[in-house]
Amino acid sequence: MRFVRYQRGNEPPVYGWLFEDRVGMIEGSPFGDYRRLEANLELARVRLLAPVTPGKIIAVGRNYADHAREHGAEVPELPLIFLKPPSSVIGPEDTILLPPQSHQVEHEAELAVVIGRSGRWIHPGNAADYILGYTAANDVTARDLQRLDGQWTRSKSFDTFCPLGPWIETDLDSADVMISCRVDGELRQMASTREMVFSVAELVAFVSSIMTLYPGDLILTGTPAGVGPLLPGNVVEVEIEGIGILRNPVAAASTPLEGPG
Ligand code: MG
C-alpha cells in the first residue's frame, strides 16, 4: 500500500492512501490504528507533502563502496551515521534552496526507511517488524562545507536539504531495487540497493543499538556513486524502483541584507 500526506487548498495536512491515481483519506494514522476511506480524490488535485514528519533523521555515510571511492574514502567497518534535522524536510515539487554559504551543493539519491514501531536493540532478523515502509530521499549536501568543517552537521542541515516522497510504499522488498538520480533529465546516479555495504536490517539493528527508534523516524541508507552539483534552475529527480519519482526544482536562496554567515 502507498501512504501519502497531502493538503487540499488551505486545509490542514492529512494522511491518506493512494489507489492508482486517486487518493483517499485515512482516519487515524499510518503509525497506529487507521481506517481507509474511499479513494475518491484525483491525485492531480491535491498537493503531496513529505509523507512523514520525522522526529529524527539518521543518515548513513559511505554505504556504497563506489561512492566512498569517488571521495577517496574507505568503506567503514561499522555504519557511519549522522543526523539531519527535521527542519530540513521538504516534500515533492518543493524547491531546494542553495544557501549563500556554499558554492558546491550536491544531490545524493537514497532509499529512506520509515520506522513504524518503537524499538531498541532490534535484532536484524526482526527489523522488518519495525519498518512501516520506504520512500525516496535526497540527502542534499554542501560538499565544500562538509570538507571544510571536518564534520557534517552544517553541510547536511540547511533548510530544504531533505526532500522526501512522493509516498511511503509498504510493499517493497528493499534488497535489490534500483536507485537513480537525474538532473534536468541527465542520468547522474544509478545502482541497486544490493550494492549497499550494510543492509537495511543491519542498519536498523545498528542504529537501534544506540538510540530508541520511534514511529516516523527515518533512516537514509546512503547514496551510490555519481553525486554531482545542483545549480539554480535545475530539476532533480530521485527515482526508486517500486516506489516512484521524487522531483524538486532548485533555486538560489534569497539572502538577507545583513546577517551571520
Ligand atoms: Mg548521504
Side-chain angles (χ1 to χ4, degrees):
M1 195 188 17
R2 289 177 169 177
F3 286 115
V4 292
R5 261 179 82 241
Y6 68 94
Q7 200 169 17
R8 290 167 76 193
N10 292 323
E11 292 174 15
V14 290
Y15 280 108
W17 66 291
L18 190 67
F19 179 73
E20 294 171 352
D21 58 352
R22 281 173 296 134
V23 171
M25 272 180 57
I26 64 170
E27 283 179 353
S29 152
F31 301 98
D33 292 329
Y34 64 85
R35 194 165 73 92
R36 284 185 276 181
L37 305 183
E38 189 190 348
N40 54 8
L41 276 168
E42 283 176 56
L43 178 59
R45 296 183 71 108
V46 303
R47 178 183 171 219
L48 288 184
L49 306 172
V52 57
T53 54
K56 58 181 175 289
I57 304 164
I58 303 102
V60 182
R62 299 174 196 156
N63 200 31
Y64 289 79
D66 286 354
H67 172 63
R69 215 172 291 130
E70 75 183 344
H71 287 151
E74 297 293 316
V75 169
E77 286 180 27
L78 288 172
L80 175 64
I81 64 170
F82 59 96
L83 293 166
K84 286 173 83 79
S87 49
S88 63
V89 169
I90 58 173
E93 305 293 344
D94 289 342
T95 302
I96 297 168
L97 295 173
L98 306 176
Q101 296 96 326
S102 173
H103 301 285
Q104 190 188 1
V105 174
E106 297 189 340
H107 55 81
E108 294 190 0
E110 308 200 6
L111 175 74
V113 180
V114 183
I115 298 297
R117 210 177 112 193
S118 295
R120 183 90 209 276
W121 292 106
I122 299 167
H123 188 277
N126 299 330
D129 297 342
Y130 295 83
I131 296 171
L132 175 69
Y134 298 89
T135 192
N138 194 340
D139 175 22
V140 179
T141 303
R143 196 71 63 202
D144 48 354
L145 303 184
Q146 186 184 31
R147 274 194 302 265
L148 200 64
D149 289 358
Q151 55 99 330
W152 302 1
T153 305
R154 183 165 65 136
S155 65
K156 298 280 191 177
S157 298
F158 286 94
D159 286 0
T160 76
F161 271 25
C162 192
L164 295 174
W167 39 69
I168 299 168
E169 173 61 69
T170 61
D171 303 316
L172 185 79
D173 177 358
S174 64
D176 184 12
V177 292
M178 292 303 292
I179 299 179
S180 52
C181 180
R182 288 180 296 274
V183 176
D184 293 345
E186 176 201 326
L187 187 66
R188 295 271 186 90
Q189 298 183 271
M190 190 165 72
S192 165
T193 54
R194 69 171 183 267
E195 294 170 41
M196 292 198 301
V197 177
F198 300 101
S199 69
V200 166
E202 289 168 332
L203 294 174
V204 168
F206 181 78
V207 173
S208 74
S209 75
I210 302 158
M211 59 188 97
T212 303
L213 290 171
Y214 291 104
D217 285 352
L218 291 176
I219 302 177
L220 273 52
T221 56
T223 201
V227 299
L230 292 174
L231 301 171
N234 284 163
V235 174
V236 57
E237 292 176 315
V238 174
E239 179 166 9
I240 300 184
E241 183 189 4
I243 301 179
I245 298 175
L246 168 66
R247 183 185 297 106
N248 298 94
V250 180
S254 59
T255 314
L257 291 176
E258 286 181 288

